[in-house]
Amino acid sequence: MSDTDPRPPDGRPAGPAGGRLAGPVDGRSAGPAGGRLAGPVDGRPAGPTDGRPTGDRPTDGRPTGDRPGGIRFGYGTNGLTDLRLDDALGLLADLGYEGVGLTLDHTHLDPLAPGLADRTRHVVRSLDRLGLTATVETGARYVLDPRRKHGPSLLDPDPDRRAQRVRLLIRAVQVAADLNAHAVHCFSGITPAHTSDDTAWQRLADALGPVLDAAATAGVPLAVEPEPGHLLSSLADFHRLRTELGAPDPGLLGLTLDIGHCQCLEPLPPADCVRAAAPWLHHVQIEDMRRGVHEHLPFGDGEIDFPPVLEALAATGYRGLTVVELPRHSHAGPQLATESIAFLREAVAPGRRNGVLASAEGGTP
């Protein structure tokens, strides 16, 4: 998820990318933007590490923990940026989360810094030791351009800058393959000024081609997120992308469904959005939100009725992670991680008190 302000860019020159992502970070061949994935970051053959089919990636025998309603809860590292990654993973395991939405950023598993292969192997060991799984997220605000949030995007007018984002996504696929992650998350970006819709959609489809090639080689699905204010902002827009790309297999190109975004802008209620999205689900993000306001809120601070949403999600048979997404709340990350898991467990438990969900003691009712 991104917490993108839906306002268009401010027209300032994008400037150079500071030499970022011009090539590999550790001496490996990054490969051309239009080529296939050269291989995972530690030199093992590309493809799923255990031979399982794309889109169906159980927990490899790791402890399943408390799984109310069959839903596997995780928490996004973009809401824990004040913690070292090892500390964040340990916290989530101690609280009973089953996984993590791992945003590749300068704070946590920097995809551009030297030694990515060694650092990825360390994360693999940590996940295995703690019994956690992961989805790789790519919504870091300034990982490519230190002056423009989420720049450059897949829609950038400059093809060289678009290619930087493509290379980052291909690198994310490589990392995800090594982590045995459920999926790689991405989003379209905001349509640049003076760009027609048709041109923007063509750029998006062309840019995602090599990323899908890499994902197919690695056996890791791509999960595109409809993001308020972006070109691809709704479930209907996701289906337009599928059409533009020739209807790829749902096991390769699927959805990141953000429950808050459904409340914010979709015509259907969130529970109905879950049912509509079910055939394409590869990643789910969850938080509270209000209609028409793109602001990620702690549970109970918005308008969403969560028990029907979680019931619908459980009924789909979705086996990936459902990740709490609070990217503007890192200052209270440990507290909110604690309150969020308690809230979600209560929301999937039978019974409600006077129609109001119970929360963790001392949390938000």
Side-chain angles (χ1 to χ4, degrees):
M1 167 276 152
S2 114
D3 58 346
T4 302
D5 186 329
R7 293 172 295 182
D10 57 11
R12 290 180 292 121
R20 290 173 178 265
L21 208 60
V25 298
D26 56 6
R28 293 177 293 108
S29 173
R36 286 185 172 269
L37 185 66
V41 297
D42 63 358
R44 291 184 289 110
T49 57
D50 56 5
R52 286 192 297 274
T54 297
D56 185 14
R57 301 171 75 84
T59 59
D60 314 322
R62 296 169 183 163
T64 57
D66 183 9
R67 187 178 295 174
I71 299 174
R72 305 178 60 241
F73 293 121
Y75 201 94
T77 59
N78 59 0
L80 296 169
T81 57
D82 290 321
L83 277 66
R84 298 177 183 87
L85 182 55
D86 278 346
D87 292 337
L89 296 178
L91 169 71
L92 299 182
D94 287 347
L95 291 174
Y97 286 95
E98 291 196 54
V100 60
L102 177 56
T103 296
L104 303 183
D105 201 356
H106 63 91
T107 53
H108 294 149
L109 198 55
D110 187 342
L112 306 183
L116 179 59
D118 287 342
R119 290 182 288 111
T120 300
R121 282 191 288 267
H122 175 81
V123 175
V124 170
R125 290 191 293 269
S126 296
L127 293 173
D128 286 343
R129 176 174 52 83
L130 295 168
L132 298 172
T133 58
T135 300
V136 171
E137 302 197 5
T138 62
R141 295 179 180 96
Y142 297 102
V143 69
L144 288 176
D145 187 334
R147 298 189 178 189
R148 178 164 294 180
K149 187 168 74 171
H150 298 139
S153 78
L154 296 172
L155 308 180
D156 197 287
D158 184 338
D160 290 337
R161 286 175 62 78
R162 290 199 301 274
Q164 289 181 343
R165 178 63 61 174
V166 169
R167 289 195 293 270
L168 177 66
L169 293 178
I170 290 174
R171 187 162 299 175
V173 168
Q174 295 174 325
V175 170
D178 277 356
L179 296 178
N180 197 23
H182 301 284
V184 171
H185 149 280
C186 69
F187 46 60
S188 67
I190 296 171
T191 302
H194 313 299
T195 302
S196 70
D197 277 355
D198 287 345
T199 296
W201 282 105
Q202 188 61 54
R203 284 179 189 165
L204 180 60
D206 290 346
L208 285 177
V211 183
L212 288 169
D213 284 347
T217 300
V220 178
L222 194 65
V224 179
E225 180 187 10
E227 181 74 28
H230 283 208
L231 173 69
L232 197 159
S233 63
S234 66
L235 293 176
D237 291 336
F238 168 72
H239 290 295
R240 174 167 180 176
L241 175 63
R242 292 186 66 250
T243 299
E244 296 279 349
L245 290 168
D249 189 310
L252 176 62
L253 177 69
L255 271 167
T256 292
L257 185 70
D258 189 302
I259 301 302
H261 295 175
C262 297
Q263 176 70 17
C264 178
L265 56 70
E266 292 287 354
L268 296 174
D272 289 340
C273 289
V274 169
R275 285 183 277 267
W280 298 278
L281 279 183
H282 283 299
H283 186 41
V284 175
Q285 297 170 342
I286 192 166
E287 70 287 317
D288 218 339
M289 203 168 287
R290 300 186 183 99
R291 184 70 178 171
V293 181
H294 183 204
E295 182 182 3
H296 289 239
L297 299 172
F299 296 114
D301 287 359
E303 301 170 340
I304 299 176
D305 185 19
F306 283 97
V309 174
L310 296 171
E311 181 180 359
L313 185 59
T316 68
Y318 167 69
R319 301 177 69 186
L321 291 173
T322 297
V323 171
V324 178
E325 195 78 2
L326 293 172
R328 294 185 175 181
H329 291 78
S330 282
H331 63 283
Q335 175 186 347
L336 285 169
T338 302
E339 295 176 358
S340 294
I341 190 66
F343 184 97
L344 291 167
R345 285 170 172 158
E346 182 71 21
V348 296
R352 304 170 74 184
R353 295 202 293 267
N354 299 322
V356 179
L357 294 178
S359 70
E361 182 177 352
T364 304

